[in-house]
Amino acid sequence: MDDLYIPRKLELWELAILSRVPPARRAIERITSGVLNMRWAIVPPNHLRTDKGAYEIAERLEETLRNLNGSDGGIDVLLSAITRDLLTQSAAVIQRLPAEEDRLFGAVAIPLWEVLEGKRSLPADTFTIYGSSDSDGNLLPSPLERAARAATAWVELFERRRRIAGLGKPNILFGFDSSSEAEIELFRAYLELDDGAIKTIGGKDLKVLNLNPQNETEFLFKYEESLVREIAISFGLPPREMGITTADRQETAGFSATSAFEGAILPIARKIYRRIEAELVSYFCPGYRLLLNESEPRTQTQQVKLASLLWDKGVISLNQVLIATGHDPIGPEGEYRKPTP
């Protein structure tokens, strides 16, 4: 673990700043909330599925995960830290903690920036979750790194719009047909003098031309929308999840939520929960598994119908039906399968 190396093009302080840019922060929060809403359950090894004592251990494992570190927060705190690190830095480091009276083990996320900057050495009992890699095993840039150009441009655009609003940019131009250069300079000084007076202008050769700044304003808003779209795509989210609904071919929020779940939330949730299963659940209690319900919470009604159909056909057990519908298994008696005709 001491040779932990995360290739990146941006410095850690740059990533920290970009993660607070509103569109990027919204994307991170949307994916994190989706990961936290995933349903899961702990089950015993297959050869102990009829052992009541094994289910009691499974219940203790669930209780340990849900209240992982007591007053320091349960599994939601750990999941939030892991998800954020993966989305921003392509990796997350977790330290296992010893058992206490009220739990079988503990676990905390180690701030990755402290490790990479040499401010903290990695403890012995740690494991790392990495983000996506290419076919050669090279770690790919994080979603935030992919969105960096658009996030930076968004900040610059925000500042430009703020300056325009603060300056009160005029939308008219005064034209004089027969004035001298000295008279024009005097007129400019008169207009720019910040004395709070209401300025009036007269003259037989005065013309007022409309500069129509609305065209620039419209362009800036469209440019902002394109930047937010780019940030959304970098995180695997549909633009609607970022508040962009113009030119949206799919007009339902449900379709957008499903796309976000399948394209952005489920892939990272699988990666995290599988590592938690291997490095925490099975590490401390070999053979025990963390089953993740990979159905979208919004489609729970359809999931119940599917689970009921599989139960009626004798394909899955009662415990599997309970887990699929967001409930805890009930023990050995739940391994019963409905007889097929």
Side-chain angles (χ1 to χ4, degrees), residues 107-236:
V108 294
I110 302 295
L112 188 59
W113 68 271
E114 292 185 2
V115 177
L116 296 177
E117 292 190 347
K119 296 184 177 181
R120 178 190 293 211
S121 58
L122 284 175
D125 203 8
T126 58
F127 62 95
T128 305
I129 302 177
Y130 290 101
S132 301
S133 57
D134 59 22
S135 57
D136 294 326
N138 300 312
L139 196 62
L140 297 175
S142 68
L144 181 61
E145 290 177 288
R146 295 197 296 268
R149 187 202 67 81
T152 302
W154 188 93
V155 173
E156 293 170 350
L157 177 62
F158 177 84
E159 287 299 314
R160 175 175 173 79
R161 288 171 54 185
R162 184 184 64 81
R163 287 195 302 270
I164 291 175
L167 291 173
K169 184 178 179 180
N171 63 345
I172 57 174
L173 175 69
F174 297 105
F176 298 90
D177 288 340
S178 58
S179 298
S180 67
E181 194 67 31
E183 290 173 327
I184 293 175
E185 284 299 323
L186 182 62
F187 177 65
R188 284 175 180 162
Y190 170 71
L191 283 181
E192 293 173 0
L193 183 62
D194 188 14
D195 57 3
I198 298 176
K199 304 184 187 311
T200 58
I201 301 168
K204 62 180 181 180
D205 58 349
L206 178 65
K207 294 180 181 179
V208 179
L209 305 177
N210 191 343
L211 298 180
N212 193 21
Q214 289 80 9
N215 290 340
E216 181 182 12
T217 302
E218 182 179 356
F219 167 77
L220 293 178
F221 275 110
K222 287 185 178 297
Y223 181 48
E224 178 187 21
E225 180 180 304
S226 71
L227 292 175
V228 174
R229 285 180 179 275
E230 185 175 340
I231 294 171
I233 292 171
S234 298
F235 281 88

Side-chain angles (χ1 to χ4, degrees), residues 46-315:
N46 288 334
H47 67 280
L48 296 177
R49 297 292 280 272
T50 58
D51 185 340
K52 190 171 183 62
Y55 274 91
E56 293 176 355
I57 295 176
E59 290 178 3
R60 283 202 66 194
L61 280 168
E62 281 198 22
E63 186 67 18
T64 292
L65 283 175
R66 296 190 191 281
N67 303 283
L68 201 53
N69 299 314
S71 60
D72 293 331
I75 192 172
D76 283 1
V77 174
L78 181 66
L79 290 174
S80 296
I82 294 173
T83 304
R84 183 178 182 83
D85 282 353
L86 287 175
L87 292 175
T88 59
Q89 303 177 79
S90 293
V93 178
I94 299 90
Q95 180 184 5
R96 305 183 191 91
L97 300 177
E100 293 188 3
E101 288 186 6
D102 59 342
R103 65 173 186 256
L104 296 174
F105 55 84
V108 294
I110 302 295
L112 188 59
W113 68 271
E114 292 185 2
V115 177
L116 296 177
E117 292 190 347
K119 296 184 177 181
R120 178 190 293 211
S121 58
L122 284 175
D125 203 8
T126 58
F127 62 95
T128 305
I129 302 177
Y130 290 101
S132 301
S133 57
D134 59 22
S135 57
D136 294 326
N138 300 312
L139 196 62
L140 297 175
S142 68
L144 181 61
E145 290 177 288
R146 295 197 296 268
R149 187 202 67 81
T152 302
W154 188 93
V155 173
E156 293 170 350
L157 177 62
F158 177 84
E159 287 299 314
R160 175 175 173 79
R161 288 171 54 185
R162 184 184 64 81
R163 287 195 302 270
I164 291 175
L167 291 173
K169 184 178 179 180
N171 63 345
I172 57 174
L173 175 69
F174 297 105
F176 298 90
D177 288 340
S178 58
S179 298
S180 67
E181 194 67 31
E183 290 173 327
I184 293 175
E185 284 299 323
L186 182 62
F187 177 65
R188 284 175 180 162
Y190 170 71
L191 283 181
E192 293 173 0
L193 183 62
D194 188 14
D195 57 3
I198 298 176
K199 304 184 187 311
T200 58
I201 301 168
K204 62 180 181 180
D205 58 349
L206 178 65
K207 294 180 181 179
V208 179
L209 305 177
N210 191 343
L211 298 180
N212 193 21
Q214 289 80 9
N215 290 340
E216 181 182 12
T217 302
E218 182 179 356
F219 167 77
L220 293 178
F221 275 110
K222 287 185 178 297
Y223 181 48
E224 178 187 21
E225 180 180 304
S226 71
L227 292 175
V228 174
R229 285 180 179 275
E230 185 175 340
I231 294 171
I233 292 171
S234 298
F235 281 88
L237 292 168
R240 178 180 279 269
E241 295 299 302
M242 305 285 283
I244 303 298
T245 58
T246 56
D248 193 348
R249 295 180 181 178
Q250 303 293 340
E251 297 182 356
T252 65
F255 179 89
S256 177
T258 298
S259 179
F261 180 81
E262 295 177 351
I265 296 170
L266 185 56
I268 196 170
R270 283 173 176 161
K271 186 183 297 292
I272 294 172
Y273 281 98
R274 285 173 183 172
R275 290 289 284 169
I276 289 177
E277 177 189 46
E279 300 291 349
L280 292 179
V281 176
S282 294
Y283 181 88
F284 289 100
C285 294
Y288 283 77
R289 295 182 298 146
L290 187 156
L291 295 186
L292 181 65
N293 186 339
E294 296 188 355
S295 64
E296 183 187 0
R298 290 174 180 266
T299 59
Q300 187 172 6
T301 300
Q302 291 89 336
Q303 184 67 17
V304 169
K305 290 181 179 179
L306 176 59
S308 299
L309 175 62
L310 295 175
W311 159 257
D312 286 336
K313 298 296 184 181
V315 176

